[in-house]
Amino acid sequence: MTAKGELERVENDLFDDPGLPAHQPRPTDVDERLEKRAERQVALMFALSAVCTVLFCVSYFVFDIGDNPSVLLGFGASNLTMGLFLGLALTLIGVGTIQWARKLMADTEMVEYRHPASSSEEDKVETLAALRAGTKESGIARRPLIRNSLLGSVLLLGAPAVILLRDLGPLPGDKLYKTVWKRGMRVVQDVSGTPIRPQDMEVGQLVNGEPAIFFEEDAEGEPVYEGIELQQEKAKAAVVIVRMQPDDIKPWPGRENWGVDGILCYSKICTHVGCPISLWEQQTHHLLCPCHQSTFDLADNGKVIFGPAARHLPQLPLAVDDEGYLVATRDFTEAVGPSFWERNNDEPGEE
């Protein structure tokens, strides 16, 4: 049976009088005083929602968190008040909208027959007409008190969103462009902290490395970096050191002296989504990311030759100090890790 035939069958099976009670008008439909009262009630709920939103924002700045948090009723005052006021703001908008629909919008009964999934042009026209009729029946155009209070309460809810996003942490500033590497800092093995001499590496070898400062102590005998700060800096400063035949290296202009006897140093952080990489193919000089298969040619300036990465691996220029150990001559000349909007997309040495 076709969809049209099925619809006709359903219509023919309907009862002329299903036995429903006669429609009773609502008090607000027959009493203008009650109508105005309901309108004020709805507007009051929207206004109270706006007040709760403002109190949410105030709570964020007033109550302390961290080492000495403010306490209220045995709970953290900040979380308690922010959760309470944001919940009330959303609840009041919801309750006010329900009251608006139940007491003031058009009180008519509608019957909708089942129809085919695809809408006909007639259905589309009817839908738009129904939307226009609903807008008219809601009275939003002739009830500015409700309309304006609703718009105000809803628009003000953007303030908590801004505050919560800001609370994710401080803006990075230029931290993505800088690492702890600096001129004269030794390159050491990432587990033992052992400094590396050129003669310690064989052709084809790869060593995972870090800056020596991660293993150093300050004047008081405390680690220079520890805890979360150490992990954050490691995520940017981790490197791989490889050695290959000098004749196989094809440096970009200006990078001819960035290696030592065929030893080159690159960021260990993949430029796709930041995975740590160290799968090394000695014969091809390719470094592979095990997560998404991005492949970089370390003999050709860390250039991408396969995979989703869109940018070469940043290279760290090397030299040898007075004691014969590998050291960096400066920090990376570009931001390490995945791409971001403000990062320079140009490839050095290429047109």
Side-chain angles (χ1 to χ4, degrees), residues 55-120:
L55 291 175
F56 170 92
C57 300
V58 172
S59 300
Y60 174 83
F61 294 102
V62 168
F63 297 111
D64 294 328
I65 59 175
D67 295 334
N68 297 305
S70 302
V71 178
L72 183 64
L73 301 177
F75 300 95
S78 179
N79 287 344
L80 178 62
T81 54
M82 289 172 64
L84 176 64
F85 289 130
L86 183 58
L88 286 174
L90 296 174
T91 300
L92 286 167
I93 288 179
V95 173
T97 303
I98 292 173
Q99 288 295 92
W100 182 9
R102 290 176 60 87
K103 293 185 176 182
L104 297 173
M105 292 186 184
D107 184 29
T108 56
E109 297 175 357
M110 300 178 63
V111 176
E112 182 179 3
Y113 299 113
R114 294 180 180 270
H115 55 78
S118 58
S119 300
S120 63

Side-chain angles (χ1 to χ4, degrees), residues 296-311:
F296 306 88
D297 187 352
L298 300 194
D300 190 6
N301 307 279
K303 186 176 181 180
V304 180
I305 60 173
F306 179 79
R311 188 165 294 105

Side-chain angles (χ1 to χ4, degrees), residues 23-341:
H23 176 72
Q24 298 293 327
R26 301 168 301 183
T28 53
D29 293 336
V30 296
D31 191 329
E32 184 177 355
R33 182 178 59 84
L34 294 179
E35 179 187 9
K36 292 297 183 181
R37 178 183 176 184
E39 183 176 354
R40 291 193 296 269
Q41 289 174 345
V42 173
L44 177 61
M45 292 182 190
F46 292 155
L48 289 175
S49 171
V51 172
C52 289
T53 302
V54 172
L55 291 175
F56 170 92
C57 300
V58 172
S59 300
Y60 174 83
F61 294 102
V62 168
F63 297 111
D64 294 328
I65 59 175
D67 295 334
N68 297 305
S70 302
V71 178
L72 183 64
L73 301 177
F75 300 95
S78 179
N79 287 344
L80 178 62
T81 54
M82 289 172 64
L84 176 64
F85 289 130
L86 183 58
L88 286 174
L90 296 174
T91 300
L92 286 167
I93 288 179
V95 173
T97 303
I98 292 173
Q99 288 295 92
W100 182 9
R102 290 176 60 87
K103 293 185 176 182
L104 297 173
M105 292 186 184
D107 184 29
T108 56
E109 297 175 357
M110 300 178 63
V111 176
E112 182 179 3
Y113 299 113
R114 294 180 180 270
H115 55 78
S118 58
S119 300
S120 63
E121 290 299 323
E122 293 80 3
D123 291 337
K124 295 177 181 178
V125 173
E126 291 179 2
T127 300
L128 292 176
L131 290 173
R132 287 191 288 268
T135 301
K136 182 178 179 181
E137 292 174 353
S138 69
I140 193 170
R142 61 186 179 87
R143 300 186 192 276
L145 182 60
I146 288 180
R147 181 185 67 240
N148 295 338
S149 59
L150 172 62
L151 291 175
S153 61
V154 171
L155 291 176
L156 199 57
L157 283 174
V162 173
I163 288 179
L164 292 176
L165 288 174
R166 183 65 181 84
D167 200 43
L168 291 177
L171 297 176
D174 63 349
K175 293 180 180 179
L176 298 177
Y177 291 96
K178 298 179 180 179
T179 72
V180 298
W181 287 106
K182 62 182 181 180
R183 182 179 181 83
M185 185 173 292
R186 285 182 176 176
V187 183
V188 300
Q189 297 186 26
D190 65 344
V191 176
S192 63
T194 303
I196 304 171
R197 287 190 173 95
Q199 56 267 31
D200 295 335
M201 296 189 62
E202 300 178 356
V203 174
Q205 184 179 1
L206 177 144
V207 175
N208 291 295
E210 294 177 355
I213 196 171
F214 290 162
F215 298 88
E216 296 175 357
E217 297 178 346
D218 58 21
E220 299 178 355
E222 298 294 331
V224 178
Y225 291 97
E226 60 180 342
I228 295 178
E229 185 181 15
L230 174 62
Q231 300 305 318
Q232 291 173 339
E233 294 300 336
K234 274 187 175 182
K236 296 187 296 181
V239 294
V240 292
I241 308 99
V242 297
R243 186 166 194 172
M244 61 190 78
Q245 294 291 349
D247 294 340
D248 294 336
I249 301 174
K250 298 177 291 185
W252 279 327
R255 295 190 175 189
E256 294 85 355
N257 298 322
W258 281 27
V260 177
D261 297 333
I263 299 175
L264 302 178
C265 184
Y266 289 92
S267 170
K268 183 183 174 70
I269 310 303
C270 181
T271 56
H272 175 218
V273 291
C275 305
I277 53 178
S278 60
L279 295 181
W280 172 238
E281 294 182 349
Q282 297 182 10
Q283 302 302 318
T284 61
H285 311 130
H286 293 169
L287 189 68
L288 285 74
C289 174
C291 304
H292 308 102
Q293 288 72 57
S294 293
T295 306
F296 306 88
D297 187 352
L298 300 194
D300 190 6
N301 307 279
K303 186 176 181 180
V304 180
I305 60 173
F306 179 79
R311 188 165 294 105
H312 65 278
L313 283 177
Q315 184 177 354
L316 185 72
L318 295 179
V320 176
D321 63 13
D322 295 339
E323 298 181 29
Y325 293 106
L326 292 175
V327 296
T329 62
R330 57 174 301 171
D331 195 1
F332 289 102
T333 58
E334 55 194 311
V336 302
S339 301
F340 51 92
W341 290 330

Side-chain angles (χ1 to χ4, degrees), residues 7-15:
L7 180 59
E8 292 177 351
R9 186 189 67 78
V10 172
E11 292 177 346
N12 294 333
D13 288 344
L14 295 177
F15 293 99

